[in-house]
Amino acid sequence: MSTPTQAPTALHHPTPCPPWCKDRAASRHDAGPSLTPHFSQQIQLDVPGAGVLARAELVRLDETGERSEAALFIQGESTAELSGVEADLFIARAEAWVDGLRALRREMAGA
């Protein structure tokens, strides 16, 4: 006779998610007994023909029930040589990415 197995239960957050946390509405959050990481949606800066150049997101790592300060995490990826048309496209994308960074910064201040 086999015994039924129970589905694992989601860990409760030791600290509440900030409004920008992408896992805020998720029933399962990547939380541990002493660390709860919070991540916003990523914004990416793409280079024509080369892929992602940079990514940015908000990060807050709460430990042992204490709320930490949010940080803007930026990661770089690649290099590229651009033609004039590609450079114009990249500049437009870079300007939009900076607007996204500003929006993340505003969210960071409100969390």
Side-chain angles (χ1 to χ4, degrees), residues 33-58:
S34 63
L35 179 68
T36 304
H38 302 281
F39 299 96
S40 70
Q41 295 294 327
Q42 278 190 358
I43 59 171
Q44 297 180 348
L45 176 57
D46 295 323
V47 177
V52 177
L53 176 67
R55 306 170 199 272
E57 65 187 323
L58 295 180

Side-chain angles (χ1 to χ4, degrees), residues 2-45:
S2 65
T3 56
T5 58
Q6 290 183 325
T9 58
L11 293 171
H12 294 287
H13 311 321
T15 57
C17 290
W20 46 261
C21 181
K22 69 181 179 184
D23 296 319
R24 184 172 192 198
S27 61
R28 296 183 66 70
H29 193 282
D30 186 17
S34 63
L35 179 68
T36 304
H38 302 281
F39 299 96
S40 70
Q41 295 294 327
Q42 278 190 358
I43 59 171
Q44 297 180 348
L45 176 57

